[in-house]
């Protein structure tokens, strides 16, 4: 019996792990950790709210341009009646609007004066009236390509005094829009693929050579019925370089 007890005691000693020497610092750490209760732990920091406006879902935002699934508003079944007069007036810093490839038949009314670019390509607009561009003093680029425009009312371009680019290609114009010669800043005019049959010597440039007007850097008139050899050389006297003029035969 006594031998059995001694055997069991020796077995317990042999199963015990080896002794490891520990320093005073280890015991201090254990005491400090064991002495911290749940109420004494550092509180969790709250999640911070994002600063500034958040870009709408599935949109791309860059500076003052918000592009939401194309467009902007392009490729939607919009009609002119679907855009209320002054629908954009509350956006006082809006600089860019694109309503392309829709069913609108006229330029939306009451656009914000802060606009610098307006793109209305690929619609069913048949006429540019002066009232539709009234107040767009900061507009620099106007895109009206691929519409059915046959008329640009006199005074339309005067309502956009800082316009620099005008795209009216692929329409139904029969003559060069009035007001280009008097406009001080316009430099690029696209009029190709229309029904223009004649070009006058004062359609693009003012009569006097000393008139303050920016020189054209791009004028396209190809694919019109006008015969380019019938256009007088002085017609483009205010064009920066001759290579900026694109002429060609009617298809």
């Amino acid at each position: 019996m006594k031998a059995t007890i001694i055997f069991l005691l020796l077995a317990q000693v042999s199963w015990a792990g080896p002794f490891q020497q520990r320093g005073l610092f280890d015991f201090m750490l254990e005491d400090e950790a064991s002495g911290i209760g749940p109420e004494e732990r550092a509180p969790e920091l709250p999640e911070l709210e994002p600063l500034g406006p958040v870009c709408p879902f599935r949109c791309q935002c860059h500076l003052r341009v918000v592009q939401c699934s194309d467009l902007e508003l392009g490729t939607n079944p919009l009609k002119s009646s679907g855009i209320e007069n002054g629908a954009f007036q509350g956006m006082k810093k809006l600089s860019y609007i694109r309503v392309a490839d829709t069913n609108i038949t006229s330029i939306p009314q009451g656009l914000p004066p802060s606009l610098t670019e307006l793109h209305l390509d690929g619609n069913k607009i048949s006429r540019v009236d002066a009232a539709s561009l009234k107040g767009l003093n900061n507009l620099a680029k106007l895109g009206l390509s691929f519409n059915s425009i046959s008329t640009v009312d006199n005074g339309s371009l005067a309502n956009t005094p800082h316009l620099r680019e005008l795209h009216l290609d692929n329409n139904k114009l029969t003559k060069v829009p009035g007001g280009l010669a008097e406009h001080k800043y316009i430099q690029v005019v696209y009029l190709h693929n229309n029904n223009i049959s004649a070009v006058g010597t004062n359609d693009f440039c003012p009569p006097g050579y000393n008139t303050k007007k920016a020189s054209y850097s791009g004028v396209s008139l190809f694919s019109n019925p006008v015969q380019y050899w019938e256009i007088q050389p002085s017609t483009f006297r205010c064009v920066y370089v001759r290579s900026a003029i694109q002429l060609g035969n009617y298809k």
Side-chain angles (χ1 to χ4, degrees), residues 48-70:
L48 298 177
E49 295 292 333
L51 299 177
V54 179
C55 188
F57 180 64
R58 289 187 178 178
C59 294
Q60 296 179 0
C61 301
H62 178 67
L63 298 179
R64 296 179 179 177
V65 177
V66 180
Q67 181 176 349
C68 299
S69 182
D70 287 330

Side-chain angles (χ1 to χ4, degrees), residues 22 24-37:
R22 305 181 68 184
L24 178 62
F25 184 69
D26 296 327
F27 291 104
M28 292 176 62
L29 289 178
E30 288 183 357
D31 292 340
E32 291 179 0
S34 62
I36 299 177

Side-chain angles (χ1 to χ4, degrees), residues 34 66 73 81 88 104 151 221 237 244:
S34 62
V66 180
L73 295 174
S81 57
F88 302 100
I104 63 173
T151 304
L221 279 166
R237 56 189 175 272

Side-chain angles (χ1 to χ4, degrees), residues 15-118:
W15 292 338
F19 174 76
Q20 295 181 356
Q21 181 67 36
R22 305 181 68 184
L24 178 62
F25 184 69
D26 296 327
F27 291 104
M28 292 176 62
L29 289 178
E30 288 183 357
D31 292 340
E32 291 179 0
S34 62
I36 299 177
E39 66 281 357
E40 297 180 7
R41 298 181 187 274
E44 295 183 359
L45 296 176
E47 294 184 2
L48 298 177
E49 295 292 333
L51 299 177
V54 179
C55 188
F57 180 64
R58 289 187 178 178
C59 294
Q60 296 179 0
C61 301
H62 178 67
L63 298 179
R64 296 179 179 177
V65 177
V66 180
Q67 181 176 349
C68 299
S69 182
D70 287 330
L71 347 345
E72 307 126 344
L73 295 174
T75 320
N76 280 293
L78 281 173
K79 296 182 179 180
S80 296
S81 57
I83 302 178
E84 296 182 359
N85 189 349
F88 302 100
Q89 279 291 354
M91 305 177 182
K92 296 182 179 180
K93 296 184 178 180
L94 187 64
S95 62
Y96 179 101
I97 289 180
R98 180 176 179 268
V99 185
D101 301 315
T102 69
N103 294 319
I104 63 173
T105 56
S106 61
I107 297 176
Q109 301 289 319
L111 295 173
S114 58
L115 279 185
T116 58
E117 291 192 31
L118 176 61

